[in-house]
Amino acid sequence: MKKKFISIFTNNTNISLDTKASLIKILKDRGYTVTNEFSEDAELIICIGGDGAFLRTVHSCKFPKCPIIGINTGHLGFFQEVRPADLDRFITDYENGRYTIQELNTVKATVTTNDGQIHNHIGLNEVIIQGRPSYTVHLYISIDDMPIEKFSGDGIVIATPAGSTAYNYSLGGSIVDPRLKLLQVTPIAPMNTTAYRSFTSSLLLPAELSLGVVPEKHYENRIAIIHDGIETIYTGVAEIKVTLSETSVNLLRLKDYDFWSKVKNKFL
């Protein structure tokens, strides 16, 4: 039986390009067809680089249904599974089915503007809501239409479990096992004084609940929505609704992968 395509993406650093050349040779020697672009016929996507390259690959492929695996030539490499020195072993394990598929949930922000337009943004790691640079933003926050707080600060991060180890973690948010289905809302520089009262710790929301955000009237003319590092500026924002998205990413994990072992190795 003819083998299907494997799509390879890279961040184009020298070490990534060298790794890509070695990988292509191994794959072609084993009878695979390799493409540098996403194909609907691809049985696997391989991303060479760091976590940033992985996120760019996921977005450029529009959250593909086929599995994706990363080869780490970056720094932290939390999504990345394979070392460049282990390419032969990785392909052998893949061909022999010695892997699992880890389904990662995504987060969706739906922005409604005052003129009725609706815009959706999906992130694998997180969605960030901020105002003008270097200015405090005031946001009315509700959970399933129940008012919770008037937030004042630099903004909020709504992270998936997969994104809990990224920006969320640097803000003091919790590390969440990706097997859990939830969203984590973490404040960025919240104000908590006699004049302004905001939660100063993260909130964890179960999958079935939604987060509502309404900018205070004065601040609606400049709201930034940042999903996985992709920024969109809006004016005249009426409401933002954030939910766990139905879109998911299938991450291929080799047989010896363990989330908490990886957390220990990467952070301690």
Side-chain angles (χ1 to χ4, degrees), residues 78 81 100 102 178 253-260 262:
F78 208 89
E81 179 73 8
T100 58
Q102 182 183 44
R253 292 297 195 186
L254 300 181
K255 57 183 176 60
D256 55 353
Y257 169 80
D258 177 75
F259 172 75
W260 290 106
K262 192 152 195 173

Side-chain angles (χ1 to χ4, degrees), residues 14 35 51 66-67 78 97 103 127 140 146 191 195 199 226 244-245:
N14 288 336
T35 177
D51 289 329
C66 72
F78 208 89
E103 184 180 8
V127 167
Y140 294 96
M146 176 181 291
M191 298 176 66
F199 284 115
I226 307 163
L244 202 66
S245 170

Side-chain angles (χ1 to χ4, degrees), residues 127-144:
V127 167
I128 303 168
I129 302 174
Q130 293 179 311
R132 295 170 59 194
S134 303
Y135 281 78
T136 298
V137 67
H138 301 292
L139 307 169
Y140 294 96
I141 295 178
S142 61
I143 297 175
D144 262 14

Side-chain angles (χ1 to χ4, degrees), residues 229-251:
I230 304 168
E231 182 178 83
T232 305
I233 305 298
Y234 288 98
T235 58
V237 172
E239 181 186 21
I240 305 161
K241 184 176 182 180
V242 186
T243 60
L244 202 66
S245 170
E246 294 181 357
T247 300
S248 61
V249 174
N250 293 315
L251 191 55

Side-chain angles (χ1 to χ4, degrees), residues 194-238:
T194 55
Y196 300 103
R197 305 294 292 176
S198 302
F199 284 115
T200 58
S201 62
S202 297
L203 305 176
L204 299 179
L205 303 183
E208 64 270 18
L209 296 187
S210 63
L211 184 80
V213 179
V214 176
E216 191 175 63
K217 191 71 175 175
H218 181 68
Y219 297 93
E220 66 174 357
N221 288 324
R222 205 284 185 185
I223 291 293
I225 304 294
I226 307 163
H227 63 292
D228 291 346
I230 304 168
E231 182 178 83
T232 305
I233 305 298
Y234 288 98
T235 58
V237 172

